[in-house]
Amino acid sequence: MARIFEHFVVCGIGPEIRTLDGAKGFHGFDTYYLPSLLDQYPPPNHTLYPPPPPQLPTCVLPAGVLFYSSGFDSNYAYTFPRSYPIVLTEGDGTKIYVSCIAFRDPVSEDIAEAYCIPANSFADKCICLVSRSPSFRLLKNALEELFALCFSPNGSSKPLWEVIASLVSTVPLPTPGKDRVLFAIDNCLLSVEAPPKDGLPHVDISFQPLVQCLDVDNLIKFFTAVLLERRILIRSNKYSLLTLVSEAICHLLYPLRWQQVYIPLLFFSGVDYIDAPTPYMMGLHSGVDTSTLAMDGVVVVDLECNRITTTEDIPPIPEQELGNLRGEISKLLYPNVVGIDQIKDGLYSSSEQYSKAGNKPWGEGHDLQLRLVFLKFFASLLSGYRNFIEISATHVFNTQAFLAMRSRSTGQPPEPMLMQFLDSHGFMDYLERCLGSEENTNNLLDKLQDALRRGQNPISILPSNSVEPEIITIADTDVGNSGSGTKYTYDRFPSDLRTEEQEEKRKQILAAASGLSSSSQSVPGGKDSKSETLTPMERAAERECMVLDIKVKLQGLWLRLLKLGPTDDPLSSFEYGTILALIESDAEGIGGSGFVECIREHINQGWHCQLTEGQFLAVKELLKTAISRATSRNDMLTIRDALEVSADMYKKDAHNVSDYIERHLISLSIWEELRFWEGYFDYLMERSSNKSANYASLVAAHLIFVESHMAGLGIPDTDAWYMIETIAEKNNIGYTQFIKLRGFLSHIEHLLIGYWGITNFKGQSMLSHGLASPRSKDATVENQQPAEASGVGRSWVQSMFSRDTASRTTSLSRVRKWTSDGGSSAANEHGTPRKQDLSATGQKKTQTNVRLLRGHSGSVTALHCVTKREVWDLVGDREDAGFFISGSTDSTVKIWDPSFRGNELRATLKGHTRAVRAISSDRGKVVSGSDDQTVLVWDKQTTQLLEELKGHDAPVSCARMLSGERVLTAAHDGTVKMWDVRTDTCVATVGRCSSAVLCMEYDDSTGILAAGGRDVVANIWDIRTGKPMHKLVGHTKWIRSIRMVGDTVVTGSDDWTARMWSVSRGTCDAVLACHAGPILSVEYSTLDKGIITGSTDGLLRFWENVEGGIRCVKNVTVHTAAVLSINAAEHWLGIGAADNSMSLFHRPQERLGSSSSTGSKMAGWQLYRTPQRTVAVVRCIATDLERKRICSGGRNGLLRLWEATINI
């Protein structure tokens, strides 16, 4: 028979003392130390019982262990023993319930002597009872009896560890609804029983702490957050409250179950887990500092202050259910207030049950009523849900039909809260359990819905307790040498008897510690003494903590990698580098397998597997590394999983091409090995759910699946067929199936040749940045008008891989490795490389110059060039136009003077607390906007902070200095504000958008303001009249760039188009739709009224107004990554891209302003020079065309200044 008590455990300071940071030895009374498992029953050498959870010591003493100069003192409450429960969750979701008593216990003399700890010192110790049954009250009562028995002045009749052994070994787990077990600890009688299984789940806690800590509204808000599976952090200064409230809210979810991470009492050193991106419910002591954590989206439930805070909105429960739920809870908690107007003659008894319960002290009746209130909530919210259960290959519930039915019945559109709830893991798990016969017959939700329809009392659905349980009495056997009248008393909690081996090991550890303390020096290099002294259980606990830590880190890094913006380069990001380090440095494969597991879990949670260009490259490289490491370990499981997740992912394009990442793994040798494909085939056969199918058909179906992977990887047809044929012959399939397999492989190879062209992928050099397209060209220029770019009906084969020579290079060729020869080559106007000795076209052969400006300790996030119009003073008889001003994630702003070589940094401006995102300047001031939601104004000459402008509620994205001491700013809160620097006030909020503003343009001469961002609308306002002019609607995704010149506004968007608008009419004059990626930069050439656009596809396109519309007259593919900046003047055009490449274009003098010249004016731009590119990721670009300078700011904190000193 199963036992109700699984373990008795003692935790505290063991023979090896380490601080939480891992430092050995005793470091004083104010330092926290790692707890160890000291004693246990059953003993560790007992083969019939599994060991206790390895993380148990850390969890039962979550703060660690402290040393004290004194023990228990009845005059000081903080010295009293503390009793509290905790709940541990195993990997399969099974819960382990632990009751703990922590107290001060004298330090063992041998430990005190070995570590030179002052005599008569005390340290934290914790005794625990561990069980698989949620019998909280029983565990608490039994443990307190053992504690009282130990320190009772009357003593016990048997040795304490014999009492413990008898308790753990003899008390059985009662049969639910049938048995009641009676047993005794010394002279105290205890009992335990479990309710029937067909009722509500067994709960041995009171719900009173939950309703006392939170008012009704906060209770419902807390419940909603749990229901929607948010990241939830519960705070309290009492350990018991954290566990009891967590358990109570989980039970109120019935018939659902919490499916996410569950740590009711988080150990203090695990506070970093709070930033984990996956849903969780954790409890943390109020004394732990979380100020250094991001806490974005975390729902913080403060039980001490009855307060719930979060940075993300929690959608409310539908109005009808919310009103009913609030009313029912209020009736239960405040019956005298709710029913104060009711007469008491018995005519109306609708709330009688609540009145009777409410007039009594809180008890089990209140707990039951509260659980039924929430079960009634689910009955109302999910009314009729069973009619929409549909078992298919993709889902088990028709969500849309259910929402439509509910909308018809309520007359309201679908509620956001309900839509999120129906997509939750908890609801999906409930539906899957509903399909089981046992869950189906004992479903209390269905019974309650039926009872409510019939007008019955909800109590009627619960089983009756008419049958008295059978009493099982556990006799108190006389074990041990308990002679007549012998009493056992203790001044400290006794240790269990140690084996000779345990005693010898303890002596060795203390001897080593004694030598360490006497020498006061570190142990010399060599073997790690920690690894030598750890027990197998401690090693297992340490490894489990390490695995958990790696997986949590990987999950966070993976999601952050996917959130990098289009201007970020994932290959140079912190996230990519850290994931790569975790994969490469882990000999056991935890990093590689954990990374693949992160992707798979993300896919299972509904991720659509789309990747941007940069993310695709990063994930491809990470998977290649993970597979390579797994190959060296012969870890076929990780290789197989990596191959399968690779097949699910594709670049983020309109055609959802799905074989990108697999194709880029062809350089790995594992795919040539028959043993892998045989193992993969065997795996597919083992997991096949259709065991009853014809064997030959089943083999053929799985081999077709294998063929799809082989073709996706680009394995040559002959090699693939050899391996398929070998596996097929071993499985004795018929000739018909052979023909089918050969035909499918030929068919899919033929399709892929159409996509990729005829090429030997194996023979190509595998570049670090990806595999080049077989049809790629170094560069292409289109001087002809491109075809219609509507995109409707255009196949992905044509748009991505099968373009003719008049088209740009394919998307994969855009990431080819740069092959310039150290600056000795440039590119001609057609983008093709050529030598420095340019043909005689009047161009100079001036040497270029590239400098690195060092000073920032974080990524450069903003760059500004002081133009001639912004000259602020004379220093040394020299105008200071041409200065560059940079902002960084290190929260500083720096001013650079390029004229002083080697000493360019002129000033550092400090004042922001987060990353600087926007910079502008005028004659005397610098203005900067930051993620800290503030705008700072500095004096250029003295570098003193003049003003701090506060008013935005989100990070500031744009800033612009205006005439008359005014500043214009825009932010992610959707507002555009104008400030008066002289008075430090916001003059007006001149514009409001429905979402974050990402770009802004202002014409100071007309007072016209244009702004765009995430709401996909370009807004035009007339600031002088204070009125909005137009909402320019047409884009379907975020607007990234905007340029306004006169009556023309040009916008670039993530929808791959740019649009030209008329300010006066508010109409769209043209749609520029030939790019194959988001357009991040647009420029307007005032001289010839042309437009230049740059995109993430690396293309630079020149557009010209012609009779009948606007057309693309020139394409240049100099850059291989997203074009971030375009700056045009009359003679020169400066370009900067995210791959740290720059280019300078020039238009020959004789063509400028020539009215007699024929042909396209925009096509006259010629590439003049491009410097040698270095490996870096660029976030921002600034251009000084007057001095032929282009400056880039990278994620590595460096500014790269290119100065083409050209004499005209």
Side-chain angles (χ1 to χ4, degrees):
M1 181 177 289
R3 297 170 295 116
I4 191 167
F5 302 114
E6 194 166 87
H7 290 96
F8 179 87
V9 176
V10 182
C11 300
I13 282 293
E16 183 178 18
I17 299 180
R18 288 180 181 269
T19 68
L20 295 182
D21 297 329
K24 291 183 178 181
F26 177 71
H27 294 266
F29 289 101
D30 297 329
T31 302
Y32 283 94
Y33 299 85
L34 288 171
S36 301
L37 194 152
L38 305 182
D39 286 303
Q40 68 178 76
Y41 186 89
N45 57 357
H46 204 302
T47 58
L48 296 181
Y49 302 105
Q55 72 274 25
L56 187 65
T58 304
C59 295
V60 299
L61 289 168
V65 175
L66 271 179
F67 285 89
Y68 308 95
S69 59
S70 61
F72 168 72
D73 189 336
S74 59
N75 295 320
Y76 299 100
Y78 60 83
T79 67
F80 287 15
R82 289 179 299 166
S83 176
Y84 50 90
I86 68 169
V87 180
L88 305 179
T89 308
E90 295 188 317
D92 59 357
T94 304
K95 289 184 177 181
I96 300 174
Y97 303 92
V98 185
S99 182
C100 310
I101 294 180
F103 56 98
R104 298 182 180 185
D105 206 41
V107 178
S108 299
E109 288 79 2
D110 55 351
I111 293 179
E113 181 181 354
Y115 288 95
C116 299
I117 301 173
N120 301 319
S121 295
F122 293 77
D124 289 317
K125 183 174 284 187
C126 184
I127 59 174
C128 316
L129 269 177
V130 182
S131 175
R132 301 276 174 169
S133 172
S135 303
F136 286 96
R137 291 186 177 94
L138 174 69
L139 292 172
K140 176 182 173 69
N141 293 336
L143 190 64
E144 289 181 356
E145 286 299 324
L146 289 174
F147 184 79
L149 186 63
C150 173
F151 294 105
S152 170
N154 298 324
S156 62
S157 58
K158 293 185 294 186
L160 184 63
W161 278 97
E162 290 188 6
V163 177
I164 293 171
S166 175
L167 176 71
V168 174
S169 302
T170 61
V171 180
L173 187 68
T175 305
K178 295 183 179 180
D179 301 336
R180 177 183 297 164
V181 178
L182 299 180
F183 64 96
I185 298 178
D186 202 50
N187 295 323
C188 177
L189 184 65
L190 300 173
S191 69
V192 58
E193 60 182 312
K197 286 186 176 181
D198 53 350
L200 289 169
H202 178 33
V203 178
D204 195 25
I205 62 170
S206 171
F207 289 78
Q208 187 178 18
L210 175 63
V211 297
Q212 285 184 333
C213 292
L214 298 176
D215 59 31
V216 175
D217 288 332
N218 277 337
L219 172 59
I220 295 175
K221 188 175 183 179
F222 180 25
F223 173 76
T224 307
V226 175
L227 199 61
L228 300 183
E229 297 177 343
R230 297 296 182 88
R231 298 157 64 209
I232 299 168
L233 180 65
I234 307 171
R235 303 300 302 269
S236 174
N237 59 9
K238 296 179 176 61
Y239 292 164
S240 294
L241 272 182
L242 295 174
T243 299
L244 295 177
V245 168
S246 300
E247 281 292 293
I249 200 69
C250 285
H251 281 291
L252 294 182
L253 285 178
Y254 180 83
L256 276 64
R257 299 184 300 195
W258 177 256
Q259 294 290 298
Q260 308 297 338
V261 175
Y262 183 65
I263 310 177
L265 181 55
L266 180 65
F267 51 96
F268 291 12
S269 58
V271 67
D272 289 340
Y273 294 170
I274 295 172
D275 274 340
T278 54
Y280 59 73
M281 188 190 306
M282 298 183 188
L284 184 65
H285 192 274
S286 300
V288 182
D289 181 25
T290 59
S291 60
T292 60
L293 303 178
M295 302 287 285
D296 291 336
V298 178
V299 180
V300 181
V301 182
D302 191 334
L303 300 179
E304 309 297 332
C305 303
N306 181 29
R307 181 175 60 210
I308 297 180
T309 57
T310 180
T311 58
E312 295 181 358
D313 292 335
I314 302 175
I317 291 174
E319 187 174 350
Q320 178 181 348
E321 283 76 15
L322 178 61
N324 293 337
L325 185 60
R326 182 185 285 117
E328 294 284 334
I329 297 175
S330 299
K331 286 180 183 178
L332 180 62
L333 300 181
Y334 318 111
N336 295 330
V337 176
V338 173
I340 197 169
D341 289 338
Q342 294 180 356
I343 62 177
K344 301 181 180 179
D345 57 2
L347 295 178
Y348 304 97
S349 57
S350 60
S351 62
E352 182 178 357
Q353 57 179 322
Y354 298 107
S355 299
K356 291 181 178 179
N359 290 327
K360 300 178 181 179
W362 188 279
E364 294 183 1
H366 295 81
D367 293 335
L368 177 61
Q369 291 295 341
L370 185 64
R371 298 178 73 183
L372 287 176
V373 165
F374 280 88
L375 187 60
K376 288 168 64 177
F377 159 78
F378 283 111
S380 174
L381 187 71
L382 297 175
S383 177
Y385 78 100
R386 277 201 167 270
N387 298 326
F388 301 93
I389 295 179
E390 298 177 358
I391 303 175
S392 67
T394 58
H395 63 276
V396 296
F397 188 74
N398 193 333
T399 302
Q400 297 303 320
F402 177 79
L403 291 173
M405 178 276 295
R406 183 175 171 87
S407 295
R408 288 193 299 270
S409 62
T410 61
Q412 300 292 332
E415 298 91 344
M417 176 269 172
L418 183 58
M419 291 189 291
Q420 293 183 29
F421 166 64
L422 295 178
D423 287 335
S424 66
H425 284 75
F427 182 64
M428 290 297 105
D429 170 73
Y430 169 70
L431 292 177
E432 291 173 2
R433 286 185 286 115
C434 280
L435 300 178
S437 58
E438 181 179 354
E439 189 79 22
N440 196 13
T441 55
N442 296 325
N443 192 318
L444 290 186
L445 178 61
D446 293 346
K447 293 180 179 180
L448 180 60
Q449 288 178 336
D450 294 339
L452 293 176
R453 279 194 294 269
R454 293 192 295 265
Q456 296 176 345
N457 191 320
I459 297 292
S460 63
I461 67 172
L462 302 178
S464 61
N465 296 324
S466 56
V467 179
E468 285 295 324
E470 179 182 352
I471 305 298
I472 299 177
T473 303
I474 306 301
D476 184 11
T477 57
D478 187 16
V479 181
N481 301 322
S482 55
S484 175
T486 302
K487 293 293 182 180
Y488 296 87
T489 59
Y490 306 93
D491 62 347
R492 67 183 67 195
F493 199 89
S495 300
D496 197 7
L497 294 177
R498 304 187 187 99
T499 64
E500 292 184 3
E501 181 182 354
Q502 291 173 334
E503 190 65 35
E504 182 63 28
K505 182 178 179 181
R506 180 183 177 91
K507 290 180 179 179
Q508 291 176 359
I509 295 174
L510 293 177
S514 178
L516 177 68
S517 300
S518 61
S519 63
S520 300
Q521 296 179 357
S522 300
V523 178
K527 293 185 179 180
D528 183 9
S529 62
K530 177 181 178 181
S531 62
E532 295 177 354
T533 57
L534 288 178
T535 65
M537 184 175 297
E538 289 172 333
R539 289 195 189 97
E542 189 175 74
R543 186 183 187 281
E544 185 168 331
C545 290
M546 179 186 69
V547 172
L548 177 62
D549 190 50
I550 290 176
K551 288 184 176 181
V552 169
K553 284 184 170 65
L554 282 171
Q555 286 178 341
L557 292 165
W558 163 246
L559 293 184
R560 284 164 54 184
L561 185 70
L562 296 183
K563 291 180 180 179
L564 292 179
T567 59
D568 298 325
D569 184 357
L571 278 172
S572 299
S573 66
F574 166 80
E575 292 77 13
Y576 171 82
T578 308
I579 295 175
L580 186 63
L582 288 173
I583 295 174
E584 289 182 336
S585 62
D586 178 23
E588 296 185 46
I590 301 171
S593 60
F595 176 64
V596 175
E597 183 181 342
C598 282
I599 302 176
R600 179 170 293 236
E601 289 181 358
H602 200 189
I603 293 173
N604 293 337
Q605 291 175 2
W607 179 48
H608 297 300
C609 308
Q610 292 185 345
L611 299 167
T612 64
E613 182 89 15
Q615 291 164 355
F616 153 69
L617 294 175
V619 175
K620 178 260 298 182
E621 291 299 326
L622 292 172
L623 285 174
K624 284 177 65 176
T625 305
I627 294 173
S628 298
R629 295 284 177 175
T631 303
S632 64
R633 299 189 312 272
N634 200 28
D635 182 3
M636 294 300 165
L637 179 63
T638 297
I639 300 173
R640 182 195 73 206
D641 291 345
L643 178 67
E644 291 188 342
V645 299
S646 299
D648 289 330
M649 287 183 288
Y650 49 87
K651 282 186 189 175
K652 189 174 182 181
D653 61 76
H655 310 285
N656 297 350
V657 184
S658 59
D659 71 334
Y660 274 88
I661 292 189
E662 278 200 308
R663 181 164 297 274
H664 284 73
L665 302 177
I666 185 58
S667 61
L668 301 173
S669 60
I670 185 64
W671 316 127
E672 300 174 353
E673 299 187 20
L674 176 62
R675 66 185 180 97
F676 169 75
W677 296 108
E678 288 179 332
Y680 186 45
F681 169 78
D682 292 340
Y683 161 74
L684 294 174
M685 292 291 291
E686 289 175 4
R687 76 171 187 178
S688 175
S689 59
N690 191 10
K691 301 290 186 182
S692 61
N694 177 270
Y695 180 77
S697 300
L698 192 62
V699 170
H702 290 322
L703 285 177
I704 285 176
F705 189 72
V706 173
E707 285 179 341
S708 301
H709 280 300
M710 289 180 170
L713 287 164
I715 298 176
D717 178 84
T718 53
D719 296 344
W721 176 243
Y722 165 74
M723 290 184 280
I724 292 294
E725 188 179 29
T726 303
I727 299 173
E729 287 177 349
K730 289 183 178 179
N731 287 273
N732 300 318
I733 65 172
Y735 186 74
T736 304
Q737 302 295 346
F738 265 100
I739 295 176
K740 182 178 179 181
L741 291 171
R742 177 69 261 189
F744 178 81
L745 184 60
S746 299
H747 171 69
I748 195 169
E749 291 282 356
H750 178 74
L751 288 179
L752 292 171
I753 287 174
Y755 301 158
W756 293 85
I758 300 175
T759 180
N760 181 9
F761 288 96
K762 234 8 220 182
Q764 294 190 17
S765 60
M766 298 300 167
L767 304 178
S768 61
H769 285 202
L771 182 65
S773 167
R775 301 183 183 178
S776 64
K777 297 181 181 297
D778 288 333
T780 306
V781 175
E782 290 183 7
N783 289 312
Q784 298 81 17
Q785 182 176 358
E788 284 295 322
S790 65
V792 179
R794 182 177 62 180
S795 72
W796 67 270
V797 178
Q798 294 171 334
S799 66
M800 298 300 291
F801 304 108
S802 300
R803 292 180 178 149
D804 55 25
T805 55
S807 302
R808 69 167 179 84
T809 183
T810 66
S811 60
L812 287 180
S813 69
R814 294 195 304 271
V815 297
R816 64 185 181 276
K817 190 175 181 180
W818 184 263
T819 56
S820 80
D821 54 355
S824 62
S825 65
N828 62 16
E829 63 177 312
H830 301 293
T832 55
R834 62 176 179 179
K835 295 296 181 181
Q836 177 95 6
D837 52 341
L838 302 172
S839 58
T841 58
Q843 299 177 2
K844 309 294 181 181
K845 298 182 182 179
T846 319
Q847 183 67 32
T848 62
N849 193 346
V850 177
R851 282 180 276 169
L852 293 180
L853 309 183
R854 306 175 187 274
H856 285 296
S857 59
S859 301
V860 181
T861 50
L863 260 179
H864 172 73
C865 178
V866 180
T867 65
K868 195 171 185 179
R869 292 181 302 171
E870 298 173 350
V871 174
W872 47 277
D873 208 343
L874 297 177
V875 178
D877 298 326
R878 176 182 49 77
E879 287 189 345
D880 292 312
F883 277 29
F884 287 93
I885 308 175
S886 60
S888 168
T889 56
D890 63 11
S891 307
T892 66
V893 177
K894 294 182 182 290
I895 302 177
W896 309 84
D897 182 0
S899 62
F900 286 91
R901 291 182 175 273
N903 191 26
E904 293 88 353
L905 181 60
R906 298 299 302 273
T908 298
L909 314 179
K910 297 182 179 180
H912 286 296
T913 58
R914 295 187 66 182
V916 179
R917 299 293 180 182
I919 298 175
S920 184
S921 65
D922 65 1
R923 283 187 175 274
K925 298 179 178 63
V926 175
V927 60
S928 58
S930 167
D931 284 352
D932 61 13
Q933 305 179 14
T934 66
V935 179
L936 302 184
V937 183
W938 320 79
D939 185 287
K940 273 187 178 179
Q941 200 167 18
T942 65
T943 69
Q944 295 299 310
L945 179 61
L946 300 178
E947 305 291 350
E948 182 178 12
L949 310 179
K950 293 184 177 181
H952 286 295
D953 298 325
V956 178
S957 54
C958 309
R960 170 82 180 271
M961 286 292 299
L962 308 180
S963 60
E965 298 289 322
R966 296 172 301 157
V967 176
L968 200 61
T969 61
H972 285 212
D973 58 8
T975 63
V976 182
K977 296 179 180 290
M978 181 175 287
W979 310 80
D980 188 331
V981 176
R982 294 164 295 190
T983 60
D984 187 21
T985 57
C986 178
V987 178
T989 299
V990 296
R992 291 185 182 274
C993 301
S994 59
S995 189
V997 178
L998 302 180
C999 50
M1000 177 182 72
E1001 274 279 277
Y1002 178 68
D1003 189 339
D1004 211 353
S1005 62
T1006 62
I1008 302 299
L1009 170 67
R1014 294 181 182 175
D1015 61 359
V1016 307
V1017 176
N1019 293 274
I1020 308 292
W1021 298 277
D1022 187 340
I1023 290 183
R1024 295 180 179 178
T1025 63
K1027 295 181 180 179
M1029 292 179 61
H1030 305 291
K1031 284 185 174 293
L1032 308 180
V1033 179
H1035 286 297
T1036 59
K1037 292 187 178 180
W1038 293 2
I1039 297 175
R1040 294 284 187 177
S1041 53
I1042 193 167
R1043 186 77 169 91
M1044 180 171 61
V1045 178
D1047 190 52
T1048 301
V1049 171
V1050 183
T1051 55
S1053 168
D1054 280 357
D1055 62 10
W1056 300 13
T1057 69
R1059 291 176 180 260
M1060 187 171 71
W1061 314 81
S1062 169
V1063 175
S1064 57
R1065 300 191 307 273
T1067 58
C1068 180
D1069 294 339
V1071 178
L1072 319 180
C1074 282
H1075 281 288
I1079 296 177
L1080 304 183
S1081 53
V1082 294
E1083 178 61 298
Y1084 186 84
S1085 177
T1086 56
L1087 188 64
D1088 41 30
K1089 299 181 180 179
I1091 298 173
I1092 306 110
T1093 57
S1095 167
T1096 58
D1097 61 9
L1099 282 175
L1100 196 65
R1101 291 184 180 267
F1102 295 80
W1103 308 79
E1104 187 172 88
N1105 273 302
V1106 296
E1107 186 176 352
I1110 188 169
R1111 68 186 181 94
C1112 180
V1113 295
K1114 188 185 187 77
N1115 293 345
V1116 179
T1117 56
V1118 174
H1119 301 281
T1120 61
V1123 178
L1124 302 182
S1125 172
I1126 305 174
N1127 193 0
E1130 289 188 0
H1131 299 260
W1132 300 95
L1133 178 70
I1135 311 295
D1139 59 356
N1140 208 15
S1141 61
M1142 309 172 192
S1143 57
L1144 190 65
F1145 286 77
H1146 177 238
R1147 187 161 44 183
Q1149 186 73 23
E1150 62 271 16
R1151 299 189 61 178
L1152 292 177
S1154 175
S1155 59
S1156 62
S1157 62
T1158 59
S1160 168
K1161 295 181 179 180
M1162 292 297 293
W1165 286 104
Q1166 299 177 4
L1167 178 63
Y1168 188 86
R1169 186 155 300 169
T1170 182
Q1172 178 184 4
R1173 194 186 71 170
T1174 57
V1175 178
V1177 185
V1178 171
R1179 298 286 296 269
C1180 47
I1181 308 285
T1183 307
D1184 179 12
L1185 292 178
E1186 189 72 21
R1187 294 160 182 79
K1188 317 303 177 297
R1189 292 171 180 159
I1190 303 178
C1191 187
S1192 65
R1195 285 181 65 100
N1196 56 8
L1198 298 180
L1199 275 73
R1200 186 168 181 255
L1201 178 63
W1202 175 45
E1203 184 173 8
T1205 53
I1206 302 172
N1207 298 320
I1208 300 178

